[in-house]
Amino acid sequence: MTAHPESDTPAKPARERSTRQFQAVRDELARSGDFRSAQDIHAALRASGATVGLATVYRALQSLVDSGAADILRTAGGEAVYRECGDTHHHHLVCRSCGRAVEVQGPAVERWADDVADRHGFTDVSHTVELFGVCGQCQRQQQ
Amino acid sequence: MTAHPESDTPAKPARERSTRQFQAVRDELARSGDFRSAQDIHAALRASGATVGLATVYRALQSLVDSGAADILRTAGGEAVYRECGDTHHHHLVCRSCGRAVEVQGPAVERWADDVADRHGFTDVSHTVELFGVCGQCQRQQQ
DNA sequence: GTCACTGCAAACATTTTGCATGCTA
DNA sequence: TAGCATGCAAAATGTTTGCAGTGAC
């Protein structure tokens, strides 16, 4: 649990050659716009005919996160999920049963987060807000 | 990522015997009041002379989470961390640098979450809200 | 032609599970 | 005494890394 401050600015080339595989990962992530696990992306690419190694997917995603082009988040199951980090910041309402995700905007939450952080003297604040529930359709099926 | 609906209400005994090991885990968790990883707790118990297996620590923590006595959270590193959870539902503002966590209450967020879920026809809603930032102390050290 | 990127597989870390034994009620 | 909880070790899962080969520039 010891997060280290980035004391150095390593001369990290951060990807200098653009390759088919890297593009494929980036595209796949952008296509859905939703949170996707590395394994998921890897499977999708394989299914669509692209030949990409799992390690490469991880490396590409890592690279995207490093460069700020993607967001990373951990699911309750311990999987890392990635999302293209566009300009619009939003959250998700995910159905526990069918997995469908609804995109939600929460100006109220944004404001609250900033306010709380400020009050405690924290800066450079980011936040994670995810809602889980059962959607109407699944409720009916379960009843 | 396919969450299955709990079609049954398994007669989960949820711990019927109180044992020294279980108490030890609960106590250790309560002692610090902060987020602790299973491995961390295991090491601490071993260090203090208690003989507790790692699997037992995991089982005890799982049990505490199931019964609502503990909160579980994933670190950026993918480790699961646990914290004693009182009756009050609250969130955390965690320092990215030193790991210190501040407990925050967010009635505004609770209301917003319920509202959003309701508007989309979702029921049985839970939510995850975590704030990350750099605390004042760490800011000064880094400058 | 060089060297970064890729792919495979092995290594790793964390968490879960199977099974024989111990201990609580 | 009966049966849940424990402990060990093996398995499972998700992710990272080493290294030789390939392809972009």
Side-chain angles (χ1 to χ4, degrees):
Chain A
M1 236 273 196
T2 39
H4 293 284
E6 286 77 48
S7 43
D8 53 322
T9 307
K12 189 182 291 180
R15 183 145 271 99
E16 300 187 334
R17 308 260 170 97
S18 64
T19 64
R20 175 180 57 76
Q21 290 89 338
F22 184 82
Q23 300 283 353
V25 171
R26 180 198 284 267
D27 286 353
E28 183 61 37
L29 197 62
R31 186 164 303 128
S32 67
D34 249 331
F35 281 105
R36 307 284 298 276
S37 73
Q39 316 260 357
D40 186 23
I41 289 175
H42 178 238
L45 290 177
R46 279 291 169 91
S48 67
T51 322
V52 184
L54 179 57
T56 302
V57 172
Y58 275 106
R59 280 189 276 234
L61 289 172
Q62 183 89 279
S63 176
L64 287 171
V65 170
D66 286 347
S67 70
D71 263 344
I72 184 173
L73 184 67
R74 295 271 172 181
T75 68
E79 257 188 339
V81 286
Y82 302 81
R83 185 186 61 171
E84 187 191 36
C85 183
D87 319 281
T88 56
H89 177 71
H90 58 256
H91 307 292
H92 296 95
L93 172 55
V94 185
C95 177
R96 254 194 293 267
S97 183
C98 68
R100 185 181 12 253
V102 178
E103 206 167 281
V104 296
Q105 305 261 348
V109 178
E110 315 295 324
R111 234 171 308 140
W112 171 80
D114 286 346
D115 187 47
V116 167
D118 194 54
R119 187 156 51 230
H120 288 86
F122 278 58
T123 55
D124 194 20
V125 182
S126 64
H127 60 267
T128 299
V129 176
E130 298 300 326
L131 307 181
F132 301 95
V134 181
C135 72
Q137 195 173 320
C138 289
Q139 284 162 48
R140 257 166 267 129
Q141 285 174 11
Q142 279 174 37
Q143 257 348 49
Chain B
M1 246 269 193
T2 40
H4 293 284
E6 286 81 45
S7 42
D8 52 323
T9 308
K12 190 182 289 178
R15 182 145 271 100
E16 302 188 331
R17 310 262 168 96
S18 64
T19 64
R20 175 180 57 76
Q21 290 90 338
F22 184 82
Q23 302 281 354
V25 172
R26 180 197 285 266
D27 286 353
E28 183 61 37
L29 197 62
R31 185 165 303 128
S32 67
D34 247 332
F35 281 105
R36 307 283 299 276
S37 72
Q39 314 264 356
D40 186 24
I41 290 175
H42 178 240
L45 290 177
R46 278 292 169 91
S48 67
T51 322
V52 183
L54 178 58
T56 301
V57 172
Y58 275 106
R59 279 189 276 235
L61 288 172
Q62 184 87 281
S63 175
L64 287 171
V65 170
D66 286 346
S67 70
D71 262 344
I72 182 172
L73 183 69
R74 294 271 173 182
T75 68
E79 255 189 341
V81 286
Y82 303 80
R83 216 192 88 131
E84 188 191 35
C85 175
D87 318 280
T88 57
H89 176 73
H90 56 256
H91 306 291
H92 298 96
L93 171 57
V94 186
C95 178
R96 254 194 291 269
S97 182
C98 68
R100 184 180 12 253
V102 178
E103 206 167 279
V104 295
Q105 304 262 347
V109 179
E110 316 293 324
R111 233 172 309 140
W112 172 80
D114 287 346
D115 188 48
V116 167
D118 195 54
R119 187 156 50 230
H120 287 87
F122 278 58
T123 55
D124 195 20
V125 182
S126 64
H127 59 266
T128 300
V129 176
E130 297 300 327
L131 307 181
F132 301 95
V134 181
C135 72
Q137 195 173 319
C138 288
Q139 285 163 47
R140 256 165 270 130
Q141 286 175 10
Q142 282 174 33
Q143 263 340 57

